[in-house]
């Protein structure tokens, strides 16, 4: 990586700023939808992460840092549908709540086929609940990244052994990317919201739960291996983000390294950062195949740069398209331009590769 790339990235993120609201950022410069123009919380968190990774956060004066933190905290609210003091962007919630006739019909047909009817609204509510929890987790982890915290306590999450088991087993561990994300959220909430004694107790319960999901033959976390390699790697990534917050070691890092290196990297932003993150974290606990990991990262760097849009200076989520959706809300028309989501993820991937090489020249590493 070089200073020229960093400068282009800085220029790109500057172009996404709303001129009338200094902490509001657009997902793309071109091809943005009306909803994309109005969403604020998630994109402000993305941009704060970018500022931190590009070492720009420390250059902001204290007043601006405090104002930005206050802006993110302003989304904390009490809505009886969700845990008290959740972080909620009303634009996102309203968009997810509003279903057109055509979409409603499609969902009813799908619900009938998969669940023999009667669960469509419950499924939609479950999806929205997971979105609000994910938004809350992202806001809290972002604030902690800059050594701040949420203004109001967030305590409505499972904290005893039985509740944790019941909650996490509601999710399908045949698809560990989603289930692992729920585990990771509990890890973040546990380590940021609880007092020391409670924190240690819940940490023990979470560790016991995940110990029952790991498979000794490959070191991965799932119920049934009849799923794609990408799903398994993405699931491990979510679980390991939780481990990083809890301070836990990875069960079988050598086996997971072997598994990752046997798979070709995908070209989508999430898949790229997920496999880089998994290899980076595993390498913290073993020197297994360090040279092969370096060669693999060199290949991934070339793929990452295929997503770089030199014309506007940012990364796109897909090789030839910007990210089109944010938690189900359409935010762009998918033009071949850089976007805030792809840029956040791929800077993170580059920071993890630099961290693996012990190269601190360009990027800071974040916790998810």
């Amino acid at each position: 990586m070089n200073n020229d790339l960093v400068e282009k990235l800085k220029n790109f993120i500057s172009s996404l700023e709303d001129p009338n609201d200094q902490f509001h950022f657009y997902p793309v410069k071109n091809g943005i939808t009306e909803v994309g123009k109005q969403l604020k919380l998630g994109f402000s968190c993305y941009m704060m992460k970018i500022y931190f990774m590009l070492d720009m956060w420390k250059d902001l004066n204290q007043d601006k840092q405090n104002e930005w933190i206050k802006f993110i905290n302003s989304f904390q609210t009490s809505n009886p549908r969700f845990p008290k003091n959740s972080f909620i962007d009303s634009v996102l919630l309203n968009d997810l709540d509003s279903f057109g006739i055509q979409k409603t019909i499609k969902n009813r047909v799908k619900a009938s086929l998969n669940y023999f009817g009667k669960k469509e609204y419950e499924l939609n509510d479950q999806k929205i609940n997971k979105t609000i929890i994910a938004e809350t987790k992202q806001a809290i982890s972002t604030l902690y990244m800059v050594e701040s915290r949420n203004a109001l306590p967030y305590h409505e999450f499972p904290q005893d052994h039985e509740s944790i088991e019941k909650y996490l087993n509601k999710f399908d561990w045949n698809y560990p990317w989603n289930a692992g994300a729920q585990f990771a959220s509990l890890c973040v909430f546990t380590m940021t919201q609880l007092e020391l004694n409670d924190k240690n107790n819940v940490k023990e319960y979470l560790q016991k739960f995940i110990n029952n999901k790991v498979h000794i033959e490959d070191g991965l976390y799932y119920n049934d291996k009849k799923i794609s390699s990408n799903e398994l790697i993405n699931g491990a990534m979510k679980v390991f983000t939780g481990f990083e917050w809890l301070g836990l070691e990875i069960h079988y890092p050598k086996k997971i390294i072997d598994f990752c290196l046997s798979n070709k990297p995908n070209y989508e932003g999430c898949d790229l950062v997920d496999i880089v993150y998994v290899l980076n974290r595993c390498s913290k606990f073993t020197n297994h195949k360090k040279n092969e990991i370096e060669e693999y990262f060199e290949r991934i760097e070339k793929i990452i740069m295929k997503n770089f849009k030199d014309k506007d200076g940012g990364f796109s989520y897909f090789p030839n398209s910007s990210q089109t959706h944010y938690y189900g809300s359409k935010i762009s028309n998918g033009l071949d331009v850089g976007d805030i989501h792809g840029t956040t993820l791929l800077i993170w991937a580059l920071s993890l590769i630099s961290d693996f090489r012990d190269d601190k020249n360009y990027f800071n590493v974040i916790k998810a």
Side-chain angles (χ1 to χ4, degrees):
M1 299 305 101
N2 53 52
N3 284 314
D4 183 52
L5 173 63
V6 173
E7 287 307 309
K8 287 179 179 179
L9 289 168
K10 289 180 178 179
N11 289 333
F12 172 68
I13 61 175
S14 177
S15 73
L16 300 180
E17 295 177 6
D18 179 350
N20 300 312
D21 187 344
Q22 62 179 334
F23 305 121
H24 177 206
F25 304 93
Y26 298 126
V28 290
K29 287 197 299 183
N30 299 304
I32 192 170
T33 66
E34 284 303 312
V35 172
K37 289 178 183 176
Q38 296 175 56
L39 289 177
K40 293 185 177 182
L41 173 60
F43 301 148
S44 197
C45 288
Y46 283 167
M47 190 61 76
M48 188 178 281
K49 290 176 179 178
I50 292 172
Y51 265 66
F52 185 84
M53 289 188 290
L54 294 182
D55 209 27
M56 298 168 63
W57 176 258
K58 66 177 177 54
D59 296 328
L60 299 178
N61 64 55
Q62 191 68 52
D63 286 343
K64 185 162 185 178
Q65 288 182 358
N66 291 338
E67 288 171 16
W68 199 342
I69 290 165
K70 184 178 179 181
F71 175 79
I72 290 178
N73 270 322
S74 72
F75 289 89
Q76 238 188 330
T77 186
S78 290
N79 182 318
R81 292 173 57 187
F82 309 107
K84 185 179 179 182
N85 298 332
S86 294
F87 284 77
I88 301 174
D89 189 325
S90 59
V91 173
L92 178 62
L93 179 57
N94 291 339
D95 190 59
L96 294 176
D97 274 337
S98 64
F99 281 84
I101 294 174
Q102 185 178 7
K103 193 168 185 180
T104 301
I105 291 171
K106 286 182 178 179
N107 279 335
R108 284 177 179 167
V109 170
K110 185 176 181 180
S112 297
L113 289 171
N114 292 328
Y115 299 95
F116 306 102
K118 297 186 179 180
K119 281 200 173 182
E120 195 266 322
Y121 293 108
E122 179 184 352
L123 289 172
N124 185 49
D125 284 346
Q126 185 182 40
K127 176 183 175 183
I128 293 173
N129 270 290
K130 286 193 297 183
T131 296
I132 297 303
I133 291 171
E135 284 268 88
T136 299
K137 178 239 182 184
Q138 173 168 251
I140 289 173
S141 65
T142 302
L143 291 169
Y144 270 73
M145 175 191 72
V146 295
E147 300 180 351
S148 183
R149 65 178 303 155
N150 43 300
L152 302 172
Y154 180 84
H155 288 156
E156 292 187 16
F157 58 93
Q159 295 176 32
D160 62 82
H161 194 203
E162 184 178 349
S163 297
I164 288 170
E165 289 273 338
K166 183 177 179 181
Y167 176 76
L168 289 176
N169 277 323
K170 285 195 310 183
F171 304 102
D172 188 352
W173 284 86
N174 291 327
Y175 298 93
W177 181 84
N178 174 51
Q182 315 315 313
F183 171 81
S185 292
L186 291 190
C187 296
V188 172
F189 300 148
T190 296
M191 301 308 289
T192 62
Q193 305 303 299
L194 300 182
E195 298 298 328
L196 183 60
N197 286 341
D198 293 332
K199 188 181 297 185
N200 288 336
N201 288 335
V202 179
K203 175 180 173 179
E204 182 181 341
Y205 302 147
L206 288 166
Q207 188 172 7
K208 285 181 179 178
F209 175 86
I210 206 66
N211 285 347
N212 291 322
K213 295 299 178 187
V214 66
H215 286 249
I216 191 170
E217 63 269 25
D218 54 27
L220 296 162
Y221 305 83
Y222 57 90
N223 278 346
D224 184 352
K225 201 174 178 180
K226 295 176 182 177
I227 49 178
S228 71
S229 296
N230 279 344
E231 178 75 30
L232 290 167
I233 293 168
N234 295 349
M237 182 270 185
K238 291 299 185 184
V239 170
F240 292 166
T241 61
F243 282 11
E244 190 173 1
W245 281 94
L246 296 179
L248 298 180
E249 293 189 8
I250 292 169
H251 292 88
Y252 303 105
K254 292 181 181 179
K255 292 179 180 180
I256 296 173
I257 287 171
D258 289 340
F259 185 86
C260 289
L261 293 179
S262 68
N263 284 273
K264 292 182 179 179
N266 204 329
Y267 280 62
E268 293 183 16
C270 277
D271 289 335
L272 286 169
V273 76
D274 284 1
I275 198 165
V276 170
Y277 180 86
V278 170
L279 286 168
N280 173 282
R281 291 303 300 166
C282 287
S283 71
K284 302 293 184 185
F285 303 99
T286 177
N287 289 319
H288 183 61
K289 294 189 175 178
K290 286 270 189 178
N291 290 336
E292 289 89 338
I293 294 173
E294 170 60 30
E295 292 172 2
Y296 196 84
F297 281 169
E298 288 173 2
R299 290 166 56 198
I300 285 184
E301 279 182 313
K302 293 177 181 178
I303 294 171
I304 288 173
M305 294 313 299
K306 288 182 179 180
N307 288 43
F308 184 70
K309 306 303 171 188
D310 197 63
K311 185 177 180 180
D312 56 23
F315 290 104
S316 60
Y317 184 87
F318 303 103
N320 300 304
S321 166
S322 63
Q323 176 62 280
T324 56
H325 288 78
Y326 182 79
Y327 290 113
S329 290
K330 187 172 182 180
I331 57 173
S332 88
N333 294 316
L335 303 182
D336 189 11
V337 296
D339 63 80
I340 194 170
H341 191 189
T343 298
T344 305
L345 291 175
L346 296 182
I347 291 176
W348 188 19
L350 291 173
S351 77
L352 291 164
I353 292 172
S354 294
D355 177 69
F356 172 81
R357 296 169 176 161
D358 202 26
D359 179 2
K360 310 298 183 186
N361 289 334
Y362 296 109
F363 304 110
N364 295 318
V365 179
I366 61 172
K367 283 200 292 187

